[in-house]
Amino acid sequence: MYSASLRIPRSLLLSASALVLVAASGAPALAQAGAASPTPQPSASPSAPETPAATQPSPQQSPAAAEQPPSPPPQAQGGNVLPETRVVAPAERPRPRTKPPRVVATNRPPASTPPTQQQVVAQQNQKFDAARQTIFPPIGAGSYQLSHQAIESLPQGNNTALDKALLQFPGVHQDSAASGELHVRNEHANLQYRINGIMLPDGVGGFGQILDTGIVGNMALLTGALPAQYGLRTAGVLDITTKADAFDNSGKVSVYGGSHQTITPFAEYGGTVGQTQYYVSGRYLYNNLGIENPTPANEAIHDRTQQEKGFAYVSTVLDPNSRITYIGGVSNALYQIPNNPGQPSNFQLGNITSFNSAFLNERQSELNQFNVVAYQHSAEGIDYQLSYFNRYSQLHFWPDPIGDLLINGISSSVYRQSYVNGIQEDTAWRIADAHTLRFGFTTSAERSLVTGINTTFPSDPVNGGQAFDPTTGAPLPPVTIYDSSSKLGWLFGAYVQDEWKITNNLTLNVGLRFDQMWQYVDANQFSPRISLTWVPQDGTTVHAGYARTFTPPQQVIAAPTNIALFQGMVAAPAVTQNDPVLPERAHVFDAGVVQKIWPIPGLEVGLDGYVKLARDLLDDGQFGQAYVLDGFNYAKANNIGLELKASYTKGNLKLYGNVAWARQIGTNIVSNQFLFDPDELAYIATHYIHTDHSQWVTASAGASYQWYDTKFSASMIYGSGLRSGFANTDHVPSYTQVNVGVSHDFHFVAPNKPTTVRFDVVNLFDKIYEIRDGSGIGVFAPQFGPRRGFFVGISQKI
């Protein structure tokens, strides 16, 4: 009681002293004191100080204002300083000893935005894409990549034809359209195409291409000792992965054209709806250089082409562990066969004795379409993909009925058709940390039809020339011969292999493959495969491998010809032997190294060598005016080569270069011998000769540089020349072709929807060169490379 009563007067004295001091300080001080907050009273419990009201923000107060310290009380001027010291002492401001309360809603950073449905589906599909890569890894094989961005960096961008883009890979060289368009490691028609790991069956086309570069997200060319999951076509596997960044509800429209009356509009669009991603594209092409010009002139005669291509991709995520995908494509093309003026007329039709070859009217149409449905599942260490595929192909060559008779003595209408249905299954099972077991099978059925309606002249039984009526002296009328062959054939293949990671740096892959064919010839083979991949240090990869291969011929190319129907005609072959086309069997050895050059950041070099020892080596050739191929076999052959590649990247500058040396030789023709001249056939039976499509040296190089919104690009191809002459004993001259381009992005519509304008020059130095000179085995006419052409284009992202 006493102590409490004693404290009350003391408080009153302190308050009185404060009032006296304020009064003594004058009006300005009084005004400041009125504006200041009232002095808080100390709490009755010093151990639990109360937070001052000034430090607690109101609901309307900003976070910055809430954390700002309160204004200090006004300082007194003059008088007794002891009460002033008590008033402004730190003990009267408990804020430093108490943390201000956190403002939950406004002081924290905003929460991260939840992913959209489109992003969730994209992440799920990326997981499935990664799982698919574990099913089809290129273990022990050489792998060369070309991304969508790299294609866009080529002159002409995605307007580049697929075969022209492939010429930038090591060991790939060009040929005429009639002879297969390109060759991988000096092989002929032994390239396998896959989309997202699913093999596309062979078509019947002579030179039509069903795939467009616009659909490519990435494509990898696999060569060498391929692992066991790759069968049938084994010189190389072109594995195309469709665009993965095309599902953001956007697309592109473009138009491109220039020299040779070229015009090619293109459109693509992709998006996401619920759990489904989709992408569609279409292209139309018209020009006056559908097939290579048989003359060195700038413009070909009678060489127009019209081509339409379409592609569709739809993928639906069924649950976190599975998805189903549809892939479909169609290509429809019409070609005029270019004319070579000055060809002599060697026969007579009634009173007509000559025909100007500049006015020939030969044409060819090609239709191709394919469909793939694939189910993929990935869970608990097992990834597998089950696919159904089909493909329909149709080719029709229309002759000039009068001109071909007068010039060649035969006019042939050729029709080829193929319909394939098949199933493919592939599984990867991680049975242990160091072992991944892979196994699968492929089976397909093909119904093929090959028909020839041939009009030719009867021959003179004495001299073998055109027969004339002995009474009137007039030529005997032509005869029509109908030859047709149809077949339901089957192919089956199965494999099993183990990927053993011996150490973190050393991987052994061992597999066994079995293939069976039931076609015009029935045959099978067990094929062991083994490879070793070693990564001794970061930036160095060494691989070596062996593969036994079994390659059936294409069924339409292996279709037999009934040469007995042509006996007594001027078109009768001089050789009557006609053994069936056989499957090819070979041993392939391959080794290589890829090394990053650390002293020069961004530089990588690679070296790869291979040897192939083949029995019944498959080859194809054009043996008549129809632009179709017929197959045959060399009894023995070998193919050796060495490839060097280099690439350099520094900032926006990208450079690459490849050079390859190769030689393929074979001896003794053992099938379709009637296609050959007797002298050549006898020579090849006792000599190793170069195959017609082989080339000693092949090189390619390119560069691109991005300068702000402008991209500069250049590419080059070099060839020492394909074979020519009697039994391929000579070769055409070497050549170099350089292409350049520039493109610029304008942002008229939106920053993320550029308008791209490009300008390209093909064959910058207008080099006139022959791909073929019309001589050699399986070569019917000369073909020249393209003359200099100027092209412009504009595209808009939508």
Side-chain angles (χ1 to χ4, degrees), residues 497-763:
Q497 64 183 1
D498 177 37
E499 178 190 350
W500 177 21
K501 292 187 178 297
I502 302 174
T503 69
N504 289 335
N505 299 331
L506 187 63
T507 301
L508 177 67
N509 195 60
V510 179
L512 180 66
R513 182 176 183 89
F514 173 76
D515 290 287
Q516 172 75 54
M517 60 176 288
W518 296 277
Q519 294 182 339
Y520 289 104
V521 171
D522 296 343
N524 58 57
Q525 178 178 287
F526 283 96
S527 303
R529 310 278 178 92
I530 184 171
S531 66
L532 197 64
T533 303
W534 180 40
V535 185
Q537 60 184 4
D538 188 23
T540 304
T541 302
V542 181
H543 72 269
Y546 161 78
R548 179 84 164 128
T549 62
F550 177 82
T551 305
Q554 295 184 33
Q555 188 165 294
V556 292
I557 290 180
T561 300
N562 188 354
I563 60 176
L565 298 174
F566 294 87
Q567 296 303 313
M569 304 295 158
V570 297
V575 176
T576 58
Q577 193 174 1
N578 186 19
D579 292 321
V581 181
L582 303 171
E584 176 189 300
R585 307 170 191 266
H587 303 274
V588 178
F589 305 87
D590 182 272
V593 59
V594 177
Q595 176 67 58
K596 292 183 178 180
I597 309 301
W598 296 114
I600 308 177
L603 178 61
E604 181 179 273
V605 298
L607 183 66
D608 198 288
Y610 60 90
V611 175
K612 175 181 177 179
L613 306 176
R615 180 161 60 92
D616 299 326
L617 177 76
L618 281 168
D619 201 352
D620 304 330
Q622 180 190 358
F623 293 92
Q625 76 271 27
Y627 273 54
V628 296
L629 299 175
D630 293 293
F632 60 93
N633 299 96
Y634 290 93
K636 295 181 180 179
N638 62 69
N639 187 18
I640 61 175
L642 193 64
E643 298 169 352
L644 175 65
K645 68 170 185 175
S647 63
Y648 175 73
T649 301
K650 183 176 182 181
N652 295 333
L653 176 65
K654 300 181 186 300
L655 306 171
Y656 67 88
N658 311 299
V659 61
W661 173 87
R663 186 205 66 183
Q664 186 182 70
I665 55 176
T667 184
N668 194 14
I669 305 298
V670 292
S671 62
N672 275 350
Q673 296 91 336
F674 76 95
L675 297 171
F676 293 81
D677 179 81
D679 293 338
E680 277 189 324
L681 192 65
Y683 181 85
I684 300 170
T686 57
H687 296 77
Y688 274 91
I689 68 165
H690 293 274
T691 55
D692 69 284
H693 50 270
S694 64
Q695 182 169 261
W696 280 101
V697 180
T698 301
S700 61
S704 66
Y705 181 73
Q706 183 80 37
W707 184 65
Y708 296 97
D709 289 332
T710 303
K711 179 177 290 184
F712 302 92
S713 60
S715 66
M716 179 275 291
I717 57 173
Y718 167 84
S720 61
L722 298 176
R723 308 307 300 185
S724 64
F726 174 82
N728 298 333
T729 52
D730 200 359
H731 66 85
V732 298
S734 62
Y735 64 89
T736 302
Q737 179 181 316
V738 177
N739 305 330
V740 295
V742 59
S743 64
H744 182 81
D745 290 343
F746 297 93
H747 301 281
F748 300 133
V749 178
N752 63 336
K753 295 183 178 180
T755 303
T756 303
V757 177
R758 66 180 311 119
F759 172 71
D760 303 300
V761 183
V762 173
N763 196 354

Side-chain angles (χ1 to χ4, degrees), residues 195-196 198-200 312-316 318 323-328 370-376 385-390 422-425:
I195 293 184
N196 294 344
I198 303 166
M199 181 181 64
L200 296 182
Y313 174 94
V314 181
S315 179
T316 299
L318 303 177
R323 71 171 172 181
I324 190 168
T325 301
Y326 166 78
I327 305 172
F370 70 90
N371 298 277
V372 174
V373 178
Y375 173 79
Q376 183 183 351
Q385 182 168 268
L386 177 64
S387 310
Y388 161 76
F389 58 85
N390 66 46
I423 298 174
Q424 176 181 337
E425 196 280 336

Side-chain angles (χ1 to χ4, degrees), residues 84-85 159 241 286 301 304 337 353 400 414 514 531 567:
E84 296 173 8
T85 303
N159 300 290
T241 303
Y286 173 90
I301 303 172
R304 290 194 302 272
I337 306 303
T353 59
D400 187 305
V414 178
F514 173 76
S531 66
Q567 296 303 313

Side-chain angles (χ1 to χ4, degrees), residues 216-425:
V216 175
N218 183 78
M219 59 183 181
L221 179 63
L222 311 180
T223 57
L226 299 175
Q229 68 258 36
Y230 299 107
L232 305 180
R233 308 286 168 253
T234 53
V237 176
L238 183 66
D239 194 359
I240 297 175
T241 303
T242 51
K243 287 181 177 179
D245 58 348
F247 311 112
D248 55 354
N249 298 318
S250 66
K252 183 176 73 172
V253 293
S254 68
V255 61
Y256 186 80
S259 297
H260 314 299
Q261 302 179 34
T262 300
I263 184 70
T264 174
F266 173 78
E268 63 178 356
Y269 193 87
T272 302
V273 177
Q275 294 293 108
T276 299
Q277 292 181 332
Y278 67 92
Y279 169 82
V280 293
S281 71
R283 182 185 296 276
Y284 171 80
L285 171 65
Y286 173 90
N287 66 34
N288 193 33
L289 193 60
I291 308 174
E292 289 85 4
N293 193 344
T295 75
N298 189 62
E299 297 292 339
I301 303 172
H302 190 261
D303 199 10
R304 290 194 302 272
T305 183
Q306 298 182 63
Q307 303 176 30
E308 302 94 25
K309 297 180 182 180
F311 180 82
Y313 174 94
V314 181
S315 179
T316 299
V317 176
L318 303 177
D319 55 58
N321 297 322
S322 59
R323 71 171 172 181
I324 190 168
T325 301
Y326 166 78
I327 305 172
V330 61
S331 171
N332 184 34
L334 298 174
Y335 299 89
Q336 291 179 331
I337 306 303
N339 295 335
N340 188 10
Q343 297 183 61
S345 297
N346 302 304
F347 300 89
Q348 181 178 342
L349 177 62
N351 296 325
I352 306 174
T353 59
S354 65
F355 189 92
N356 187 346
S357 60
F359 297 107
L360 284 169
N361 186 25
E362 299 171 336
R363 293 159 293 136
Q364 186 158 310
S365 67
E366 296 187 14
L367 172 65
N368 290 277
Q369 60 185 31
F370 70 90
N371 298 277
V372 174
V373 178
Y375 173 79
Q376 183 183 351
H377 185 83
S378 178
E380 299 178 354
I382 297 179
D383 303 307
Y384 69 86
Q385 182 168 268
L386 177 64
S387 310
Y388 161 76
F389 58 85
N390 66 46
R391 177 166 178 166
Y392 176 79
S393 297
Q394 175 186 300
L395 177 151
H396 192 182
F397 173 84
W398 286 279
D400 187 305
I402 297 177
D404 285 345
L405 272 174
L406 292 172
I407 295 173
N408 302 307
I410 184 172
S411 171
S412 299
S413 175
V414 178
Y415 179 81
R416 291 182 173 183
Q417 183 188 76
S418 171
Y419 187 59
V420 181
N421 282 275
I423 298 174
Q424 176 181 337
E425 196 280 336

Side-chain angles (χ1 to χ4, degrees), residues 12-221:
L12 293 174
L13 289 174
L14 290 174
S15 300
S17 300
L19 291 174
V20 172
L21 291 172
V22 170
S25 64
L30 183 60
Q32 293 178 7
S37 300
T39 303
Q41 295 296 324
S43 173
S45 176
S47 62
E50 199 173 286
T51 303
T55 66
Q56 298 179 2
S58 65
Q60 294 81 18
Q61 194 175 9
S62 67
E67 294 182 358
Q68 191 172 7
S71 302
Q75 300 293 328
Q77 299 179 4
N80 189 353
V81 296
L82 183 59
E84 296 173 8
T85 303
R86 294 294 300 274
V87 171
V88 297
E92 301 295 331
R93 299 176 58 202
R95 184 178 185 275
R97 295 187 301 174
T98 305
K99 294 182 179 181
R102 295 181 179 271
V103 180
V104 176
T106 57
N107 278 354
R108 291 179 180 175
S112 58
T113 305
T116 64
Q117 178 69 13
Q118 175 181 319
Q119 292 171 330
V120 171
V121 175
Q123 292 171 359
Q124 291 174 325
N125 278 278
Q126 288 170 4
K127 182 196 73 171
F128 285 116
D129 291 342
R132 187 176 58 212
Q133 292 301 316
T134 67
I135 303 175
F136 307 104
I139 305 171
S143 178
Y144 308 107
Q145 307 282 332
L146 197 63
S147 66
H148 172 71
Q149 292 75 16
I151 293 175
E152 290 286 2
S153 296
L154 292 172
Q156 298 191 289
N158 71 356
N159 300 290
T160 306
L162 185 63
D163 64 304
K164 303 304 180 186
L166 290 176
L167 297 180
Q168 303 306 312
F169 284 126
V172 180
H173 63 266
Q174 75 169 336
D175 201 343
S176 64
S179 298
E181 296 174 314
L182 59 86
H183 304 285
V184 177
R185 290 190 164 185
N186 270 351
E187 298 279 359
H188 196 171
N190 197 9
L191 178 62
Q192 179 181 147
Y193 291 86
R194 291 192 172 210
I195 293 184
N196 294 344
I198 303 166
M199 181 181 64
L200 296 182
D202 295 319
V204 301
F207 38 79
Q209 291 194 36
I210 190 171
L211 300 176
D212 188 272
T213 53
I215 72 171
V216 175
N218 183 78
M219 59 183 181
L221 179 63

